[in-house]
């Protein structure tokens, strides 16, 4: 095999339509810089997956080629382990990699060697098998696209755990060019691969070398990755700007949930091998290593929630007032009073989410409304403006409000109009946030469809 590493002279693999260019960086090696001013909601980069593997929980519910969720799928009669929308997706997947795996994948997945692997190792094993099968279906020299993707994949920084050997892979005939290539590709898995999601639910793992080569992490990101599914195609990643980005600014995406205030440092160190110096991490190191735990007492918790709502200005936000500055957090963490440091403890967000979800479902609506607004305040504090979680939560608040007003209270006259207005206001806010990311994942379902349905019901109520 030709040594592709030595051929990487330029960044001509960056799609010409993309809005970024690669610059050197003293600690991160390279960084992606905006080529020009980029307005909020722009697609900064669009790049197809090099290889994907569905999570075990999604197998049989989604097409193994295009990853779309389908009510009925066609099972591969050869192995019985892969499912497709139709003959087109099946043929394309066959050509891409399945023809090299079909005969052996069933036996491999049932083998003791595979079954004894940890869950994450099984995912790595399948994704690596797909990637290798894909490479071995190509005749060297590789086609320009495959060759470019492989070049970029091998140019990625290996992760800190790159001395760990590759997991066993499904036997492929012809075998991969060399074990060295297998190990080289696997050494880049941990700190470069992506979890593919639809409406915030993880569904698959994917290799997107161009995106990995470009984007560094920030816990206060100015862009996020979304996944676009379409019939007959492999999934495409689009990186979308969450706010206006000035020419020359670095474009960063979140590798992990920015709300993970305590655990993220360990993940950066173990999985990615860096220390994050974003403004949120700088604040956390300023206040010390341990964030205080929130109180357990219900009255104290209620007071804490009220203080947080007040600090963030969530009531004004809900009225549509522009409390969120154009290009920053609603309130900087640097202004957070010490009495509120405990809201940054990860357990506080889980307590609020559980309280909101339980009360919404069980019908304690006053409790649901209070925990819902407090959770919104926390999201506005820890996530950047237009972060999709904020929009999804506003939609959940609208649904809860609807159930409260119309299903439980059944208001009439003026009360009915007031109740409707609250629902519409929450839906408008949800739309204004979610519109920035736009449609993603399964396009027939998802938040925009749910908003339309609730708007229709509310209009006709
Ligand atoms: C997906 S790659 C990003 C592209 C990388 N900078 C390059 O030049 O190939 C991930 C690796 O980039 C580096 N990196 C990403 N974000 C970083 C950050 N915020 N600070 C320091 N290093 C970072 C780490 O080495 C990490 O393992």
């Amino acid at each position: 095999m030709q040594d592709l590493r030595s051929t990487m002279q330029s960044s001509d693999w960056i799609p010409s339509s993309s809005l970024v260019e690669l610059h050197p960086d003293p600690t991160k090696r390279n960084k992606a810089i905006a080529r020009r001013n980029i307005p909020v909601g722009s697609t900064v980069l669009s790049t197809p997956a090099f290889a994907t593997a569905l999570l075990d929980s999604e197998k049989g519910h989604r097409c193994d080629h295009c990853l779309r969720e389908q009510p009925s799928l066609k099972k591969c009669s050869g192995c019985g382990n892969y499912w497709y929308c139709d003959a087109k997706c099946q043929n394309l997947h066959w050509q891409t990699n399945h023809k090299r795996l079909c005969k052996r994948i069933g036996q491999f997945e049932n083998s003791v060697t595979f079954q004894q692997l940890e869950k994450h190792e099984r995912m790595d094993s399948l994704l690596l098998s797909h990637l290798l099968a894909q490479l071995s279906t190509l005749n060297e020299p590789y086609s320009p696209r495959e060759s470019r993707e492989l070049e970029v994949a091998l140019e990625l920084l290996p992760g800190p755990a790159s001395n760990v050997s590759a997991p066993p892979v499904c036997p492929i005939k012809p075998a991969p060019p060399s074990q060295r290539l297998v190990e080289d590709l696997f050494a880049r898995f941990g700190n470069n691969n992506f979890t593919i999601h639809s409406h915030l639910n993880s569904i698959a793992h994917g290799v997107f070398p161009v995106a990995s080569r470009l984007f560094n992490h920030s816990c206060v990101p100015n862009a996020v990755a979304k996944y676009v599914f379409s019939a007959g195609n492999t999934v495409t990643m689009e990186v979308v700007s969450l706010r206006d980005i000035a020419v020359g600014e670095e474009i960063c995406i979140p590798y992990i949930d920015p709300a993970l205030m305590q655990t993220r440092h360990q993940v950066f160190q173990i999985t990615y091998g860096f220390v994050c110096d974003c403004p949120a991490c700088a604040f956390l190191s300023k206040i010390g290593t341990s964030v205080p735990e929130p109180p357990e007492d219900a009255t104290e918790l209620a007071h804490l929630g009220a203080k947080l709502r007040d600090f963030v200005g969530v009531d004004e936000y809900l009225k549509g007032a522009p409390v969120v500055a154009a290009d920053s957090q609603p309130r900087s963490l640097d202004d957070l009073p010490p009495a509120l440091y405990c809201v940054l403890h990860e357990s506080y967000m889980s307590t609020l989410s559980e309280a909101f979800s339980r009360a919404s479902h069980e019908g304690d609506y006053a409790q649901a409304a209070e925990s819902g607004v407090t959770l919104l305040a926390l999201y506005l504090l820890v996530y950047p403006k237009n972060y999709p979680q904020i929009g999804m939560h506003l939609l959940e608040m609208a649904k809860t409000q609807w159930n409260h007003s119309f299903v439980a209270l059944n208001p009439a006259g003026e009360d009915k109009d007031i109740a409707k207005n609250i629902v519409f206001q929450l839906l408008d806010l949800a739309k204004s946030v979610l519109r920035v990311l736009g449609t993603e994942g399964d396009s027939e379902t998802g938040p925009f469809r749910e908003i339309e349905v609730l708007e229709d019901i509310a209009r006709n109520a």
Side-chain angles (χ1 to χ4, degrees):
M1 190 188 128
Q2 56 182 314
D3 189 352
L4 293 163
R5 272 155 290 231
S6 60
T7 66
M8 288 290 296
Q9 300 298 340
S10 65
S11 43
D12 56 4
W13 43 268
I14 301 179
S16 52
S17 57
S18 100
L19 302 175
V20 291
E21 58 196 23
L22 208 58
H23 282 218
D25 182 276
T27 51
K28 308 171 189 171
R29 181 174 71 170
N30 289 127
K31 57 187 173 188
I33 295 295
R35 270 191 181 137
R36 57 173 172 80
N37 290 334
I38 300 175
V40 57
S42 306
T43 301
V44 172
L45 173 89
S46 178
T47 183
F50 195 27
T52 59
L54 279 176
L55 295 184
D56 205 29
S57 57
E58 303 299 308
K59 288 290 274 187
H61 304 292
R62 293 182 176 275
C63 173
D64 274 285
H65 180 65
C66 72
L67 308 190
R68 290 182 312 150
E69 191 174 37
Q70 297 288 7
S72 75
L73 292 159
K74 217 168 146 283
K75 195 195 269 195
C76 170
S77 56
C79 62
N81 281 29
Y82 284 66
W83 282 263
Y84 302 101
C85 301
D86 51 26
K88 187 179 175 199
C89 275
Q90 181 163 20
N91 286 338
L92 288 164
H93 203 237
W94 181 260
Q95 290 308 327
T96 312
N97 63 48
H98 197 57
K99 68 178 167 188
R100 301 283 186 223
L101 295 169
C102 187
K103 275 204 185 110
R104 298 165 201 90
I105 193 82
Q107 204 183 352
F108 174 67
E109 285 194 49
N110 288 329
S111 68
V112 177
T113 321
F114 183 81
Q115 288 299 327
Q116 277 179 344
L117 296 174
E118 301 276 342
K119 209 170 163 185
H120 71 274
E121 291 172 321
R122 291 208 289 267
M123 271 314 290
D124 281 346
S125 162
L126 289 174
L127 186 55
L128 193 55
S129 299
H130 291 178
L131 187 55
L132 294 168
Q134 187 166 324
L135 294 173
S136 69
T137 57
L138 308 165
N139 293 319
E140 287 187 63
Y142 299 119
S143 75
R145 165 162 133 70
E146 300 291 349
S147 156
R148 192 198 62 194
E149 298 271 325
L150 182 57
E151 270 180 53
V152 179
L154 291 170
E155 260 291 301
L156 296 173
L157 288 168
S162 56
N163 53 349
V164 176
S165 300
V169 289
C170 179
I172 298 157
K173 285 212 176 90
S178 70
Q179 186 58 24
R180 159 107 193 270
L181 177 70
V182 178
E183 297 293 343
D184 275 359
L185 287 169
F186 179 69
R188 274 93 187 155
F189 263 35
N191 64 328
N192 287 288
N193 287 356
F194 289 84
T195 299
I196 297 169
H197 47 80
S198 172
H199 318 316
L200 306 187
N201 298 316
S202 305
I203 61 140
H205 286 187
V207 182
F208 297 85
V210 173
S212 296
R213 187 71 181 81
L214 284 168
F215 298 106
N216 291 317
H217 164 88
S218 172
C219 307
V220 193
N222 51 14
V224 282
K226 74 172 182 182
Y227 299 90
V228 180
F229 308 156
S230 64
N233 292 311
T234 49
V235 61
T236 295
M237 177 199 286
E238 288 186 5
V239 173
V240 179
S241 54
L242 288 174
R243 60 167 171 81
D244 292 342
I245 299 174
V247 58
E249 230 186 294
E250 180 178 6
I251 302 176
C252 289
I253 58 173
Y255 290 179
I256 60 171
D257 186 346
L260 296 173
M261 294 284 174
Q262 281 87 61
T263 41
R264 68 189 189 207
H265 305 292
Q266 225 182 345
V267 180
F268 295 148
Q269 205 181 347
I270 295 170
T271 311
Y272 296 96
F274 69 86
V275 176
C276 186
D277 65 355
C278 77
C281 287
F283 173 76
L284 287 173
S285 51
K286 196 182 80 189
I287 69 168
T289 45
S290 75
V291 172
E293 288 198 26
E296 282 177 18
D297 175 77
T299 316
E300 283 181 54
L301 263 179
H303 281 142
L304 181 69
K307 270 194 214 144
L308 172 64
R309 297 194 295 271
D310 191 38
F311 171 74
V312 170
V314 72
D315 289 342
E316 288 77 8
Y317 177 86
L318 285 169
K319 284 182 207 137
V323 291
V324 184
D327 59 355
S328 68
Q329 303 282 99
R331 287 293 298 266
S332 161
L333 281 180
D334 285 325
D335 300 331
L336 195 70
L340 284 179
Y341 286 176
C342 61
V343 303
L344 302 178
H345 198 279
E346 280 169 27
S347 65
Y348 185 59
M349 190 177 274
S350 348
T351 307
L352 281 176
S353 305
E354 278 161 30
F356 174 62
S357 164
R358 195 178 44 246
S360 304
H361 289 107
E362 289 171 6
D364 182 346
Y365 292 117
Q367 174 60 44
E370 184 178 318
S371 44
V373 178
T374 313
L375 186 57
L376 176 66
L378 186 58
Y379 280 1
L380 292 170
L381 182 68
V382 302
Y383 290 128
K385 192 188 171 196
N386 299 321
Y387 206 67
Q389 266 80 353
I390 298 174
M392 295 295 256
H393 181 58
L394 284 160
L395 172 56
E396 287 310 308
M397 287 173 68
K399 287 190 222 165
T400 301
Q401 184 63 40
W402 170 261
N403 287 339
H404 179 200
S405 308
F406 286 84
V407 181
L409 299 179
N410 196 16
E414 206 177 303
D415 287 348
K416 189 168 163 177
D417 290 339
I418 294 172
K420 271 190 187 186
N421 278 343
I422 299 174
V423 172
F424 280 126
Q425 207 162 359
L426 286 166
L427 290 176
D428 284 348
L429 280 168
K431 273 192 288 189
S432 73
V433 173
L434 293 168
R435 233 184 254 127
V436 169
L437 186 70
T439 310
E440 48 91 35
D442 294 302
S443 52
E444 260 107 80
T445 54
F448 291 111
R449 182 76 200 108
E450 288 181 27
I451 289 170
E452 256 174 39
V453 170
L454 189 48
E455 277 177 341
D456 259 8
I457 298 174
R459 247 190 307 268
N460 298 320

